[in-house]
Each structure stands twice: as C-alpha cells, then as structure tokens.
Amino acid sequence: MFNRLKQFMYGRYGSDQLSMALIILAFVISFITILIGIPFLNLISYIPLGFVIFRTFSRNISKRYAENQKFLKYYYPIQTKIKTKITRAKDKNNKYYKCKGCGATLRVPKGKGRIDITCPKCRTKFTKRT
Ligand SMILES: [Zn+2]
C-alpha cells in the first residue's frame, strides 16, 4: 500500500509551504463563512484546496518550486516580523522603542519610570516611560 503511494507520487511535486498556507487559508475562509452565517460562501474555501491538490500531484516540479520560492519571498519577512513581535510580547523585563533618528530598535529595562534614552547608533536622545 505504502509502496504504491510512493510509486504514484514518484515524479510528482508533493507538499510545500505554499500548499500549507493554502490549506490554512481554506480553513480561515470556511471559519469566517461559518461566523458570518452564509453556508453557501463556504464553497469558496474549496478553491485554495483545489490548488493544493493540483500542486501536490503536479509533474511540473520546477514550476511548482518557483511558485513556492515566490511565496517564501513574501512570507519570510512576515514570519520574521511575527516572531519578533511574539518574542517582545513574552519579554516582561524590557521595553522596546524605535529610535526616531535612525529607526534602530532600542531595548530598555522595564519599570524604571521616566528615563532619558540615548540611541547608541546615532546619539539621538529622547525621554520615555518604562
Ligand atoms: Zn538612532
């Protein structure tokens, strides 16, 4: 059984990050349509799923690979941003500010009241509550 599946998938593209994202998109769409209460709109969620099936069994591997690379080009910066936000939200000991002078991120300890912050990069000074 497993061998047959392996044989069937031979020369086919399979799964990647773009397909995973499309599956998540399908779930989000169906969840939203349930929330809104229009069951007919749920059919829209089958569109990304259709793409997933098409891409998984596709024999045009180089084209599917290129699609995924294109997707990752947009996805990785978003992923990095989200990861940074989560890390900072978890950090209970520090506060993060953006320097008005050069845009650098500055980390200062929390709970020190009003403090003067000097950017180590461009020497811009500003006062913040921590
Ligand atoms: Zn600066």
Side-chain angles (χ1 to χ4, degrees):
M1 176 63 199
F2 187 73
N3 260 342
R4 268 188 144 173
L5 184 73
K6 223 171 155 183
Q7 219 167 47
F8 177 72
M9 285 308 293
Y10 182 78
R12 294 175 199 265
Y13 185 66
S15 174
D16 62 8
Q17 291 96 333
L18 176 55
S19 289
M20 284 309 293
L22 288 169
I23 290 168
I24 292 165
L25 178 69
F27 272 110
V28 171
I29 291 170
S30 65
F31 185 71
I32 289 169
T33 53
I34 288 164
L35 276 186
I36 299 170
I38 310 168
F40 177 73
L41 272 180
N42 198 16
L43 292 173
I44 298 171
S45 68
Y46 287 99
I47 297 167
L49 287 181
F51 272 114
V52 171
I53 292 164
F54 166 73
R55 296 189 75 251
T56 303
F57 299 122
S58 172
R59 289 183 187 276
N60 195 345
I61 290 170
S62 60
K63 203 167 180 188
R64 301 289 88 78
Y65 179 80
E67 283 168 5
N68 194 48
Q69 290 305 309
K70 230 183 233 175
F71 166 72
L72 290 178
K73 214 176 88 189
Y74 292 100
Y75 175 68
Y76 277 147
I78 297 168
Q79 188 192 38
T80 308
K81 253 186 198 170
I82 292 168
K83 273 189 180 164
T84 312
K85 279 225 164 97
I86 291 169
T87 312
R88 286 178 192 176
K90 275 186 183 167
D91 188 352
K92 302 287 176 216
N93 303 317
N94 299 295
K95 259 197 152 175
Y96 294 84
Y97 293 109
K98 205 169 201 162
C99 171
K100 283 165 194 144
C102 66
T105 304
L106 307 174
R107 192 180 67 187
V108 291
K110 243 181 189 173
K112 301 274 181 205
R114 280 177 76 83
I115 55 165
D116 292 318
I117 302 163
T118 308
C119 174
K121 274 191 184 162
C122 67
R123 300 280 151 206
T124 304
K125 284 185 177 145
F126 51 99
T127 310
K128 286 278 183 194
R129 277 193 71 85
T130 66

